């Protein structure tokens, strides 16, 4: 089961395989009961199909974060060999995004903060360049310097939860490039000067979660072993404890709940 | 001759037929001397080729306004049968955009003000619906009401010269729809809430002028007689008078200068 | 109800809105009982939705022939202003294809035989040029002569029921152009020389019937009044008589059965 | 310098960056003097730009074979994660195609003959599966068995120099899949049954050499070190000897001529 619990499968959007845009879409744990329980009701048409050889706990983080960033990369239209700047590359969404991007033949400029994330992005996840926004004198210049001809990134993937990068991205994306917004900072606005957007022919677009096809594809990348998603397992009975740790910012990677415990 | 006087024809952008994005592009009347003179220098590779049967004065407005709106419609990705809302449909750019849209099989929702423009948009230019923003109680509602299922317009073309429509368009574009910015209000910003942009998967993009291919295509539509561009002719010697009328907002349609007079 | 009676809605193809490619697709009157009866079973998810204001007999021909040619035009990737050669333009599929093409902003070169069809194509259906293959000295030359620069048609739509045009189309399609096969001559082969196909970068593709979205779109064109499909009505009790006329080639346009009679 | 020596840069095709389709294109060593000499004339607009850090002898095979197969993969529209069957994967074009495909995130089914080629394809070039057409009981079945759900390959790249694979590919390509013809067997024909092509909605297309942008991209993949092209160097004075070896089929990999010797 994934965030998109079900959709009508017959509206204009479902007919074009845009189930996430269905006006009657149900969302797990939001509009219908979710998965913090031993048994739950699922929609046969929408459940993800997990190949038998995949460990259920390992694939769990793919079903939300993985699908979402994979969809964002597809929506960007980025082509193999092009450069994608990932803002928040060392976080939960970002570490998956960096791996998917690499598996899709893209070259990653990882933007995040701190030496731990730098090491992880460059050595484990496969990024080509790391830019530390907390120490960089000028992020825009640094992104441009990391791209051929200094022209900027073909694609920017916005996974951050603060507003600033949403307004800065249009400055370091390449003419004809695309900025994809995925993260959802509360109350934030996309903002870009009309003049530069027009004369540089920049595209800014939002990408939500994936449809059933994107789900199958994102899982297949995982099955092939090209995506790693570090996680720890906790029992359902430990749910409150995990929430407490999350509130205190003490979680690295993902926690997966074993509902049988 | 058109706004894009020349480009290098060998940079990354020229190689992909995006000459308007060439860093070495020259602009007529801006970076090189323009056409307010009897003789001027042109770039052989970039001059528009005007078929012999076309009157030179009639095609003149196509070479800037026509190409620009035609390019914007192409960039929108709008498909025949879809609905495009044109903001400023009754103006200089808009009256051409409405005709090109219709010739491309699109259905036009014209947004502008005043009964004269309403009449022109519906009876002469081929729009399907007219929304008067000066009298409408709620432009967003009115656009939605004009679209099948009330879902909003597939495409919004922004030709206005004030900032408000640039921020309002994201509200009445359909999920998965595209807002194309073309007009250039001084100092204006595109602004859209991150949340709605993401969950509705909206695209916002800038479109600048056309390349050589767009130019040839835009002229060919004109040659076939499906585009009309009303104009008056004045002599080059009357240039100051025409500028004065423009300053006083006394010009409807376009003035074309005859440089031999 | 249409030719595609139902599909599984959950396989790889249904997930990407390619219901016609579903391995479990059911076909009306072929794998399940069809519509030559007063009552029949339909799939709720697949029935076409007919707006109330449309006459049921009038729209009937759209549900098979209309959808099929509209889909073929979409699959061709032809863009407004481009030229499409329609082989069999005066026939049942062709007369609809010519109208859809025109409504989509395409310019039609109608290829068929006889003065009646010539008149219909040019005066009623909106074709720009008519080529009579029964009297033409050289169809390839004639198609090229009808296109700008003599370069050939951007798109060729093959609706014929003989094999020859399927092998001739590659000769008069423009470099980078697309030949779309739709008609199904028994036992016929597409055939094209490797050398010319490669150096002219030609695309040859098959297009089958439309999906649910294509169906809704094809009907919407009809609802707007831009597509006419001449037909006669006969009672279900007259079915054998209609078949006899068909065998004798005595039917022009389409016969629609009124199952209440 | 590459096969495409020059083009007019102003025709309809050059304007859309399809320089290889230019009617005035000049071809090195065919319509103009080529590179079997110490000095030759080149077209400034068309020469490939080789970054300084790349060895000139190493990149030489990229400039014809590399560009051509890279272009074919781009033209196929294959998306990262999809499966591409490469016919002739172990040959001169094929060994490059397999590496480019892998670098573009595609999964390769290599089709060729012999244990040496099997080993090279699987262990050196990065193919996922090898099918030996000389020993396979049924190539169609074997390709299908290598693809998820047995549906066939999303893309087939035809690099062979015999006619049979050109007619067989349509049988093991997946519905909605694409067959790209690149190799040029003398006098060969593409041939596919109309019925299967239509109901499976298959695309067959030719791909010629790349344009200037494709050239730059293909070289950039090589510069990044993800493409290896084994070669030996011979002096220009040894040209006849190299031709003799080629006639006797005694060359594995590529010979590069050093024109200074």
């Amino acid at each position: 089961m994934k965030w998109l619990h079900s959709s009508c499968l017959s509206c204009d959007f479902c007919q074009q395989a845009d189930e996430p845009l269905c006006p009657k879409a149900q969302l797990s744990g939001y509009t219908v009961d979710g998965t913090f329980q031993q048994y739950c009701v699922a929609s046969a048409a929408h459940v993800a199909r997990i190949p038998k050889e995949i460990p259920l706990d390992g694939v769990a983080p793919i079903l939300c974060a993985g699908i979402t960033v994979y969809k964002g990369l597809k929506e960007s239209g980025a082509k193999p060999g092009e450069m994608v700047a990932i803002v928040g590359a060392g976080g939960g969404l970002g570490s998956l995004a960096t791996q998917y991007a690499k598996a899709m033949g893209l070259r990653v400029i990882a933007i995040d903060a701190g030496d731990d994330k730098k090491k992880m992005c460059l050595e484990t996840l496969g990024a080509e360049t790391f830019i530390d926004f907390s120490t960089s004198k000028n992020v825009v210049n640094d992104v441009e310097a990391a791209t051929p001809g200094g022209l900027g990134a073909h694609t920017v993937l916005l996974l951050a939860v603060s507003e600033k990068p949403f307004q800065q991205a249009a400055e370091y994306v390449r003419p004809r490039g695309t900025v994809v917004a995925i993260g959802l900072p509360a109350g934030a606005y996309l903002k870009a000067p009309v003049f530069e957007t027009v004369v540089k022919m920049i595209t800014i677009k939002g990408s939500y979660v994936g449809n059933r096809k994107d789900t199958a594809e994102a899982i297949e990348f995982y099955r092939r072993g090209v995506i790693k998603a570090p996680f720890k397992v906790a029992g359902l009975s430990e749910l409150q404890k995990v929430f407490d740790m999350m509130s205190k910012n003490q979680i690295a990677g993902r926690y997966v709940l074993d509902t049988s415990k």
Side-chain angles (χ1 to χ4, degrees), chain A residues 99-183:
Chain A
Q99 294 176 80
Y100 273 105
K102 191 175 158 62
M104 293 164 83
L106 301 168
R107 301 165 64 187
V108 177
I109 299 167
I111 305 177
D112 214 315
D115 286 346
D116 286 357
K117 292 196 166 169
K118 178 177 183 176
K119 194 177 167 184
M120 180 176 72
C121 286
L122 293 176
E123 295 176 18
T124 312
L125 303 177
E128 193 172 302
T129 309
F130 182 85
I131 294 169
D132 190 325
F133 68 79
S134 69
T135 60
S136 165
K137 282 182 189 157
N138 189 320
V139 170
V140 174
N141 287 0
D142 286 355
V143 172
E144 289 180 348
T147 61
L151 291 167
H154 293 85
T155 296
V156 182
L157 218 62
L158 291 168
L159 307 172
V161 286
S162 61
E163 192 176 32
K164 192 183 166 192
F166 282 78
Q167 303 187 354
Q168 193 179 47
E171 293 181 54
Y172 56 71
V173 75
R174 181 189 165 99
R176 265 287 183 202
T178 300
V179 177
V180 182
I182 296 178

Side-chain angles (χ1 to χ4, degrees), chain A residues 2-258:
Chain A
K2 50 192 170 49
W3 169 242
L4 189 68
H5 176 271
S6 63
S7 71
C8 78
L9 292 184
S10 67
C11 70
D12 215 35
F13 298 103
C14 284
Q15 282 186 10
Q16 68 189 26
D18 276 328
E19 302 110 43
L21 299 178
C22 174
K24 294 184 184 163
Q26 297 291 339
L27 306 173
S28 302
Y30 190 65
T31 65
V32 294
D33 288 341
T35 54
F36 286 163
Q37 49 185 338
Q38 280 173 281
Y39 298 94
C40 70
V41 177
S43 158
H46 274 276
V47 286
R49 294 158 196 195
I50 316 286
K52 281 192 184 162
E53 67 265 36
I54 295 182
L56 289 176
D57 50 6
V59 78
I62 300 297
L63 290 192
C64 184
I67 296 169
T68 302
V69 297
Y70 173 64
K71 177 67 164 187
L73 287 163
K74 281 180 73 175
E75 287 293 316
S76 76
K79 286 172 293 182
E82 292 188 346
M83 309 207 75
V84 53
I86 301 181
V87 183
L93 287 169
S95 60
L96 288 167
T98 303
Q99 294 176 80
Y100 273 105
K102 191 175 158 62
M104 293 164 83
L106 301 168
R107 301 165 64 187
V108 177
I109 299 167
I111 305 177
D112 214 315
D115 286 346
D116 286 357
K117 292 196 166 169
K118 178 177 183 176
K119 194 177 167 184
M120 180 176 72
C121 286
L122 293 176
E123 295 176 18
T124 312
L125 303 177
E128 193 172 302
T129 309
F130 182 85
I131 294 169
D132 190 325
F133 68 79
S134 69
T135 60
S136 165
K137 282 182 189 157
N138 189 320
V139 170
V140 174
N141 287 0
D142 286 355
V143 172
E144 289 180 348
T147 61
L151 291 167
H154 293 85
T155 296
V156 182
L157 218 62
L158 291 168
L159 307 172
V161 286
S162 61
E163 192 176 32
K164 192 183 166 192
F166 282 78
Q167 303 187 354
Q168 193 179 47
E171 293 181 54
Y172 56 71
V173 75
R174 181 189 165 99
R176 265 287 183 202
T178 300
V179 177
V180 182
I182 296 178
L184 294 172
Y189 276 80
L190 289 161
K191 202 177 160 192
V194 172
F195 185 81
E196 277 76 16
T197 306
V198 167
V199 301
K200 288 172 70 183
M201 298 189 77
I202 291 170
T203 296
I204 301 168
K205 66 192 296 186
S207 177
Y208 189 32
V209 296
N211 63 12
R212 297 180 295 165
K213 188 76 163 40
D214 302 318
T215 302
E217 292 171 4
I219 292 173
E220 176 67 4
F221 273 92
Y222 178 81
R223 189 196 64 73
R224 289 167 51 206
V226 292
I227 308 292
K228 312 285 180 196
F231 65 95
K232 289 180 187 146
V233 176
L236 178 58
S237 56
E238 297 170 285
L239 179 58
Q240 186 57 48
K241 200 180 101 191
V242 175
F243 269 117
D244 292 344
M245 289 169 68
M246 208 191 305
S247 301
K248 292 176 192 159
N249 230 336
Q250 293 172 341
I251 295 182
R254 299 263 156 178
Y255 263 85
V256 171
L257 288 190
D258 182 336

